[in-house]
Amino acid sequence: MKLFTVGFTKKSAEKFFDGLQSAGVKRVVDIRLNNVSQLAGFTKKDDLRYFCKAICNIEYIHVAELAPTPELLEEVRKGKSDWTAYEHKFIDLLKARRIEKTIAPKIFDGDCLLCSEEKPIHCHRRLVAEYLKKKRGGIDIHHLA
């Protein structure tokens, strides 16, 4: 099973959608807490749903259960929590939500977890992908540039 991840920050729409198509992504799984912000540009929820279908013939879904809580996100953004502490708290949140049991496995086969961070190293999409790989096994994670 292939699971892709991608961030849209510092990407043009052309690079973003070409990357999804080239990788063979079947569906974009939006795991952002806030996906309607004006700062999201071409990745605002309704626009992204349209562009994915019209440009790439890729489905789009939003899965809020894979997003951090507003409080957790605020902690790290305001510097009240360092990345290591955030990682532990976010993993605890995934455990509490039991995502490995509540989210159907087929959702992730050929799908791409979307968040805003440019690189996966300090992004919750990487944490979600690694958590699912650890819990379910058989998942190859590919971070798209």
Side-chain angles (χ1 to χ4, degrees):
M1 184 180 304
K2 276 189 183 178
L3 178 61
F4 301 95
T5 80
V6 70
F8 63 84
T9 299
K10 296 186 181 178
K11 284 185 182 71
S12 67
E14 180 179 10
K15 182 176 180 175
F16 179 82
F17 292 108
D18 282 352
L20 294 176
Q21 272 190 311
S22 295
V25 169
K26 295 177 186 174
R27 177 176 33 210
V28 169
V29 181
D30 189 341
I31 62 170
R32 294 175 290 171
L33 182 63
N34 181 8
N35 62 358
V36 293
S37 166
Q38 293 300 319
L39 299 175
F42 66 86
T43 65
K44 287 185 284 192
K45 179 182 178 180
D46 292 336
D47 292 339
L48 186 56
R49 177 180 288 117
Y50 171 77
F51 292 140
C52 280
K53 191 67 172 169
I55 296 170
C56 305
N57 198 28
I58 295 173
E59 189 181 340
Y60 166 91
I61 60 171
H62 182 235
V63 182
E65 296 85 3
L66 301 178
T69 62
E71 298 79 20
L72 188 55
L73 194 57
E74 196 66 21
E75 273 183 35
V76 77
R77 283 191 177 160
K78 291 196 172 182
K80 296 177 184 176
S81 182
D82 67 7
W83 179 254
T84 302
Y86 173 84
E87 277 188 355
H88 292 294
K89 290 178 182 179
F90 186 71
I91 295 297
D92 287 344
L93 179 64
L94 296 178
K95 287 177 185 175
R97 289 178 176 170
R98 301 178 53 225
I99 67 162
E100 70 277 9
K101 299 202 185 292
T102 59
I103 308 280
K106 68 178 182 174
I107 280 186
F108 300 108
D109 190 15
D111 289 358
C112 185
L113 303 178
L114 167 82
C115 197
S116 60
E117 295 296 325
E118 178 186 12
K119 300 192 185 300
I121 190 70
H122 288 122
C123 185
H124 77 285
R125 72 181 186 267
R126 175 184 61 84
L127 301 176
V128 170
E130 290 173 356
Y131 179 84
L132 289 168
K133 180 177 182 171
K134 180 180 176 185
K135 292 292 185 177
R136 292 189 175 158
I139 296 175
D140 290 323
I141 301 168
H142 301 270
H143 301 289
L144 304 179

